[in-house]
Amino acid sequence: MQELYPSFLCRFSDPPGGRTLQGSSFADTVHMTQESCTTFCDAGHWVFAGVEFGQECYCGNVTLNGGTNVTFSDCNMPCVGNPAETCGGPSRLDFFWNGKQPPPPPTTLQSFGQWESLGCYSDDVNARTLSVPMGVSGPMTVQLCLDACFTAGYHLGGVEFAVECYCDVSFKNGGAPVTDGRCNMICAGNSTEFCGGPSGLNMYNFTGTITNPPNPNPNPPGGGGGTGSAPAPVTNLPGTFKSAGCFVDNAFGRVLTTQLPDNNALTVESCVNSCAASNFTIAGLEFSVQCFCGNEIVNGGVLAINQNDCNMLCGGNSSEACGAGNRLSVYSSTQDLILLPVPVVQKTNLPGNWQYIGCLAEPGAVRVFPYQLIFHTTNSAETCLSQCSAFGYPAAGMEFGEECWCGDPQNIIDNGGTMAPETDCVIPCSGDLIHLCGGAQRLQLYEWVGTPLSVWHTPAVTGWYEFLIGGLTVPLIATLGINNKVTFLEKFGTGPPNSTGAYELDLSLTHNSNLAWREMHIKSDVFCSGSVILPDKAGRVLNVGGWSLDSTFGVRLYTPTGSPGVNGTTDWEENNQELRLQTLKNNSRYPGSMVMANGSVLVVGGEGGSNGIPIPTLETLPTPAGGSTTVFLDFLLRTDPNNLYPFLMVLPSGGVFIIYYNEARILNENTFATVKTFPIIPGAVTGGGGGRTYPLEGTSVILPQHAPYTDQIEVLICGGSTPGAGLALDNCVSIQPEAANPTWTLERMPFKRVMTCMTALPDGTYMIMNGANQGVAGFGLANSPELTALLYDPSLPVGQRISILNTTIVARLYHSESILLQDGRVLVSGSDPNPDGGPFLEEYRVEVYVPPYLASGQIQPTFQITVTDWSYGQQVTITNVVTHQNAGTRISLLAAVSSTHGNSFGQRTLFPAFTCGGTSCTITAPPNAHIAPPGWYQLFVLDGSTPSFSKWVRIGGDPAGLGNWPQFPDFTHPGV
């Protein structure tokens, strides 16, 4: 950006005809940049410059029509000539000032010599008030126009649209004075004067005596006037360009879509060369100095009845014709000129169940609909409506030709949209020039009819939040151990000064906070680490990574002991000199972790400490004989920093499914080479992307697997946000990664949500809770907490799977977690959004959510089990099975989970085969480690949807021998 024009704000700009900057202007659909605009304005001695819609440049010395400052994020459209720069937005200007004092604001020139102002008069392009267009030498001013009219023998003169001059001896076609402010455009050649406006003439009357008779063709020196008959068309043009004739312009709008800057030295050759250089096939010249380009004649453009109408001489060559007032001298490189009719509203052949409603007036700077897309060259009813419905929005509209807006019918009521005359929606679609796409501040409105795109249930029984206990910690990791106690880890060193960094909560003692909490200890800062439950005999919790320095190499282990009501005696074990992540290049903050099918632990990605360099690698633990197992992953380097805490899953057919930022792929489970990649994950409807992993943080789960496990596995992701603006996403997406040609299925949520937590429930449903409506994960980076819980039921049809449950009074933002408890309730903890103070404080309260299946006084089933260590395919009998509702018995297995930053490490839900007789049921364990990776699972018996208390079982043993690892005397070895 050149020093001459420093950017200082994003400013609201009224629609065409009410522009904030009304000096010189031009549009360039290929090469527009901030620099090209400011250079153009500086050459015209303007002090302000503004770029809009990615391709339009406006200049001025004063701001008009109520232009006001708006937020910088509104100016978000990339320049077509340099996508690294922004060039405003719809009705938004990236605004620049050269530091010079602007001249006084423009006024209506009241007199000039013996010419006197008559005020502003109405005009019509099809029936002119003054019938004689007049060329002038140089940029338009009132004085130049009136001099030309006087020389030609006319005592009436008027200026219009900043650059046009008209003369006559009497008023024609009912032209009359108007007071609606339409004469508000600054003269192209004098920023202190108004030169009419759209359909408005600044009118002047000569009060003296004119002796010479009227002459419509005075032919002033230097070109720019007309002749009795038009000069012959120019030949010998570049390529195959030839004259296509004289066309009527602006009867229903411009007939060529791209206008270049006015050029007082314009020639046919220069206009054709400029259009050809931008790959246009048609060039048109008008009013001596104007050049237009396009690939079709649009808006019902037709040949003029009198081909001599194009009789104004080119500003740069008085032997050539450059159109006239509303007449275009057209040249084309193709013999088959495409003439498109006047565009109309598309009411038939619409996608899906869309129906046209009418022309809707926007309320002003506040838009009716919240979501905007810009399609510079492809907007149409098909394009816009298909995009909106694909993201679940049942109301949509097109505006300004290239804008598409999505939302809900309720937005129209809430934001003050009103119906407008159909004649207000007159701009053709940028990608469908025979159909209309709204107007200036006018939406071509459509609504979805018939079967709703989204159905959000509001059940009578929703369950509820309830306070459980006051906390000693603001946890960032929550884990239910196989001792049915909850271990919490928090910041240590960077947290509260009296914290030991680790605590265990005995759920049976929550009535007595003095007894419920057990203090434990860690040696390094686990902030932004990750945990999994190991498949060894003790169900140890493994924690890896950390905040900074040595803690980022941390490998920590905790062996759950004790039982409800009985304190455990073990603590966290860590020795950085003996056991650590493998290389200096693989220390990790925000790592993903997973127990693999072979029983070893996979650790993937992260950063090298606090806001450090990317760690685009993976490794396995234990480190095998022979050294490092680190593998470089180029896709993590490419997508840093939006791929942290990647989602990891073992696939039934083998391989590791990894989700990071807005991408996904399958890795070979032995070599970790890429086996399969997937389409980009849909995010925001606006097309601005959107990510699902930290810091854009959504949550992913594997949907239930049912015996005999032949159905395709399905993965669900809910929530997330967009880079930069932090626009939280309001959708979930799902995919079957092992399908032949998998695609993402999108379902809209009733609320936007980032920093989601999802908890698998024993009945096969999923709680969605916590998070915010705006922002990203991090300290002070989100606001507007989402307090309402949702329930996702994959057994229902797509688009109808979400129910709206109850609300909490506790904001749960950054570092909030949720986990399933033994009794089927969901524990909700944490929130650490502003450790240094702010509107949302560190949250110590611990809550539980009572799901609907426990909310009506249901008596929970009971059962007994003796065999808790299962081999794959083994048949195990449970006894004393008692149900109370006779609602149908089911059995589920939910893998042990550790929750942090929205990532439920280890989550998996299975419904195994079983048979029951009397009070006994025989369960067939899952068949292999790819269906159920080795580890600990909560076993539930369900009576309809009401679960029993769970009992822990281990499936698949400890194939990697983790129970004997690490081989150091200061670590516990529970055995395999």
Side-chain angles (χ1 to χ4, degrees):
M1 188 74 250
Q2 51 190 321
E3 291 294 326
L4 181 65
Y5 277 87
S7 174
F8 70 100
L9 53 85
C10 179
R11 173 159 288 196
F12 174 69
S13 173
D14 282 332
R19 293 289 184 188
T20 296
L21 295 178
Q22 292 198 358
S24 302
S25 65
F26 79 99
D28 187 337
T29 60
V30 179
H31 303 298
M32 180 63 72
T33 63
Q34 293 177 356
E35 292 81 1
S36 65
C37 180
T38 55
T39 299
F40 170 77
C41 293
D42 182 57
H45 304 290
W46 305 99
V47 298
F48 298 129
V51 279
E52 185 171 348
F53 279 122
Q55 59 188 1
E56 300 174 3
C57 174
Y58 298 93
C59 312
N61 288 326
V62 65
T63 59
L64 300 170
N65 296 299
T68 57
N69 299 353
V70 296
T71 178
F72 272 106
S73 61
D74 282 7
C75 292
N76 53 19
M77 292 183 65
C79 302
V80 293
N82 183 358
E85 298 177 349
T86 59
C87 279
S91 296
R92 296 294 188 272
L93 285 163
D94 263 314
F95 198 83
F96 301 88
W97 178 43
N98 66 6
K100 298 178 182 178
Q101 187 66 28
T107 60
T108 298
L109 183 67
Q110 295 301 313
S111 64
F112 170 58
Q114 292 180 284
W115 291 91
E116 297 291 336
S117 172
L118 299 178
C120 183
Y121 269 64
S122 62
D123 195 19
D124 190 306
V125 296
N126 297 309
R128 288 294 184 188
T129 299
L130 301 180
S131 63
V132 182
M134 189 63 62
V136 301
S137 297
M140 183 63 67
T141 66
V142 174
Q143 294 87 338
L144 283 174
C145 177
L146 299 183
D147 279 341
C149 291
F150 176 84
T151 301
Y154 294 98
H155 69 273
L156 291 174
V159 280
E160 183 170 349
F161 219 81
V163 295
E164 300 176 3
C165 174
Y166 296 91
C167 312
D168 216 323
V169 295
S170 63
F171 299 122
K172 306 289 194 337
N173 298 306
V178 292
T179 58
D180 57 5
R182 70 179 71 182
C183 291
N184 58 8
M185 297 185 72
I186 300 169
C187 299
N190 186 343
S191 62
T192 68
E193 300 173 349
F194 285 119
C195 277
S199 302
L201 283 160
N202 275 114
M203 187 72 73
Y204 294 85
N205 177 47
F206 187 75
T207 60
T209 301
I210 297 177
T211 57
N212 55 304
N215 174 12
N217 302 303
N219 194 20
T227 62
S229 61
V234 176
T235 57
N236 298 320
L237 293 171
T240 58
F241 273 89
K242 294 180 181 179
S243 173
C246 179
F247 275 75
V248 177
D249 190 25
N250 220 20
F252 302 99
R254 293 293 188 186
V255 300
L256 290 177
T257 55
T258 298
Q259 181 177 3
L260 303 186
D262 288 0
N263 179 7
N264 292 320
L266 186 70
T267 65
V268 172
E269 292 84 352
S270 66
C271 179
V272 167
N273 282 329
S274 296
C275 293
S278 296
N279 298 315
F280 290 109
T281 59
I282 303 174
L285 304 94
E286 186 165 341
F287 233 97
S288 299
V289 295
Q290 296 177 337
C291 177
F292 297 84
C293 307
N295 291 314
E296 306 95 359
I297 300 291
V298 301
N299 283 319
V302 294
L303 285 168
I305 295 174
N306 183 355
Q307 286 293 290
N308 284 326
D309 283 358
C310 290
N311 58 12
M312 295 185 71
L313 306 182
C314 296
N317 188 340
S318 59
S319 68
E320 298 178 351
C322 281
N326 293 314
R327 294 295 187 270
L328 271 174
S329 297
V330 174
Y331 291 82
S332 173
S333 64
T334 176
Q335 297 298 313
D336 299 321
L337 203 62
I338 299 174
L339 304 179
L340 298 180
V342 176
V344 297
V345 176
Q346 184 173 350
K347 298 181 179 180
T348 60
N349 298 318
L350 297 170
N353 292 329
W354 287 99
Q355 178 177 300
Y356 179 64
I357 303 300
C359 184
L360 184 76
E362 294 267 29
V366 178
R367 299 292 193 168
V368 167
F369 294 131
Y371 301 108
Q372 179 199 43
L373 300 95
I374 303 293
F375 299 110
H376 287 302
T377 59
T378 59
N379 200 28
S380 66
E382 173 80 26
T383 299
C384 178
L385 303 181
S386 295
Q387 179 75 355
C388 293
S389 58
F391 282 80
Y393 300 105
M398 297 86 72
E399 185 168 341
F400 280 117
E402 60 183 15
E403 298 180 22
C404 170
W405 292 84
C406 304
D408 294 288
Q410 186 64 36
N411 298 142
I412 301 172
I413 299 171
D414 294 343
N415 297 321
T418 56
M419 300 312 295
E422 288 295 304
T423 52
D424 283 8
C425 289
V426 294
I427 299 178
C429 303
S430 63
D432 180 8
L433 297 174
I434 65 172
H435 289 120
L436 292 170
C437 278
Q441 297 288 325
R442 297 295 185 268
L443 281 163
Q444 215 84 53
L445 176 65
Y446 295 81
E447 292 183 2
W448 185 273
V449 296
T451 303
L453 291 168
S454 302
V455 175
W456 301 312
H457 306 286
T458 53
V461 178
T462 61
W464 61 84
Y465 284 91
E466 62 184 24
F467 174 76
L468 181 65
I469 192 171
L472 301 179
T473 178
V474 182
L476 59 93
I477 302 178
T479 309
L480 180 68
I482 67 169
N483 61 354
N484 287 314
K485 299 183 181 186
V486 180
T487 59
F488 293 113
L489 292 175
E490 73 163 343
K491 298 175 293 185
F492 176 65
T494 55
N498 61 342
S499 171
T500 63
Y503 297 88
E504 188 172 62
L505 175 64
D506 189 329
L507 297 165
S508 70
L509 300 173
T510 54
H511 60 281
N512 187 335
S513 60
N514 292 323
L515 299 177
W517 293 98
R518 181 169 75 94
E519 181 181 288
M520 297 195 294
H521 308 82
I522 50 177
K523 297 179 181 179
S524 62
D525 196 345
V526 298
F527 181 24
C528 300
S529 59
S531 297
V532 293
I533 290 84
L534 299 182
D536 60 33
K537 292 187 72 172
R540 286 182 300 170
V541 182
L542 170 71
N543 177 268
V544 295
W547 171 244
S548 63
L549 304 175
D550 278 350
S551 69
T552 62
F553 298 94
V555 179
R556 311 164 190 89
L557 289 158
Y558 166 62
T559 305
T561 55
S563 59
V566 179
N567 268 348
T569 57
T570 51
D571 208 335
W572 284 93
E573 300 169 344
E574 178 181 4
N575 188 329
N576 190 264
Q577 301 303 309
E578 296 174 343
L579 182 65
R580 56 193 283 141
L581 295 176
Q582 291 180 28
T583 72
L584 292 177
K585 293 184 179 180
N586 212 48
N587 57 326
S588 193
R589 173 179 178 240
Y590 307 121
S593 55
M594 179 190 77
V595 175
M596 298 178 64
N598 65 7
S600 61
V601 177
L602 180 65
V603 181
V604 181
E607 288 182 342
S610 172
N611 299 315
I613 61 172
I615 306 298
T617 58
L618 61 75
E619 67 171 280
T620 57
L621 296 173
T623 304
S628 173
T629 61
T630 59
V631 176
F632 174 75
L633 303 173
D634 62 331
F635 55 86
L636 289 186
L637 180 63
R638 173 174 50 79
T639 54
D640 179 78
N642 295 316
N643 58 27
L644 306 177
Y645 283 128
F647 305 132
L648 303 167
M649 296 139 188
V650 174
L651 293 178
S653 62
V656 176
F657 187 51
I658 177 171
I659 299 169
Y660 53 97
Y661 183 31
N662 61 357
E663 300 181 11
R665 63 183 62 210
I666 296 175
L667 305 178
N668 181 287
E669 62 187 2
N670 297 310
T671 66
F672 302 110
T674 296
V675 174
K676 184 178 183 179
T677 58
F678 295 83
I680 292 295
I681 302 171
V685 66
T686 54
R692 305 290 180 165
T693 50
Y694 185 94
L696 308 177
E697 197 177 307
T699 308
S700 183
V701 295
I702 301 175
L703 296 184
Q705 299 169 260
H706 296 264
Y709 312 107
T710 54
D711 292 337
Q712 294 280 353
I713 194 172
E714 190 168 5
V715 174
L716 175 72
I717 317 170
C718 291
S721 192
T722 61
L727 302 176
L729 304 182
D730 65 353
N731 58 63
C732 299
V733 292
S734 57
I735 199 167
Q736 295 179 343
E738 295 175 308
N741 296 294
T743 57
W744 296 97
T745 298
L746 186 143
E747 298 173 271
R748 188 177 167 203
M749 294 190 293
F751 316 112
K752 295 183 289 185
R753 217 171 198 127
V754 61
M755 295 180 291
T756 53
C757 294
M758 290 181 68
T759 300
L761 300 183
D763 65 345
T765 61
Y766 297 82
M767 290 282 293
I768 304 172
M769 52 203 342
N770 302 357
N773 297 140
Q774 188 281 328
V776 298
F779 293 122
L781 300 181
N783 54 51
S784 184
E786 180 49 64
L787 304 177
T788 302
L790 303 176
L791 187 73
Y792 185 92
D793 185 350
S795 69
L796 297 177
V798 170
Q800 302 179 35
R801 293 177 170 181
I802 294 176
S803 294
I804 301 173
L805 300 186
N806 223 320
T807 59
T808 179
I809 61 171
V810 181
R812 303 284 184 183
L813 299 170
Y814 188 44
H815 289 161
S816 64
E817 311 301 338
S818 65
I819 57 172
L820 178 68
L821 300 179
Q822 181 193 21
D823 61 6
R825 296 178 300 168
V826 176
L827 183 139
V828 188
S829 63
S831 188
D832 186 20
N834 296 289
D836 299 322
F840 307 109
L841 302 178
E842 293 183 301
E843 184 54 66
Y844 287 84
R845 288 171 290 182
V846 180
E847 295 174 286
V848 289
Y849 195 96
V850 179
Y853 53 54
L854 296 176
S856 296
Q858 298 95 326
I859 300 175
Q860 295 179 253
T862 57
F863 70 97
Q864 297 294 321
I865 186 171
T866 56
V867 178
T868 58
D869 206 346
W870 299 3
S871 301
Y872 290 116
Q874 180 180 352
Q875 291 192 329
V876 178
T877 298
I878 58 175
T879 59
N880 298 324
V881 177
V882 179
T883 60
H884 302 274
Q885 302 175 70
N886 296 317
T889 300
R890 291 187 294 163
I891 292 173
S892 61
L893 292 162
L894 275 71
V897 165
S898 181
S899 175
T900 186
H901 292 76
N903 204 323
S904 296
F905 293 116
Q907 178 276 328
R908 213 169 185 103
T909 299
L910 300 104
F911 285 87
F914 70 95
T915 58
C916 293
T919 60
S920 298
C921 294
T922 299
I923 304 167
T924 302
N928 58 61
H930 290 104
I931 298 296
W936 288 88
Y937 292 76
Q938 293 186 78
L939 172 65
F940 289 92
V941 172
L942 295 110
D943 184 2
S945 61
T946 303
S948 63
F949 279 53
S950 69
K951 299 185 184 296
W952 288 100
V953 299
R954 185 172 72 149
I955 302 175
D958 182 8
L962 295 176
N964 297 323
W965 169 82
Q967 290 295 318
F968 299 106
D970 47 348
F971 285 88
T972 299
H973 304 112
V976 299

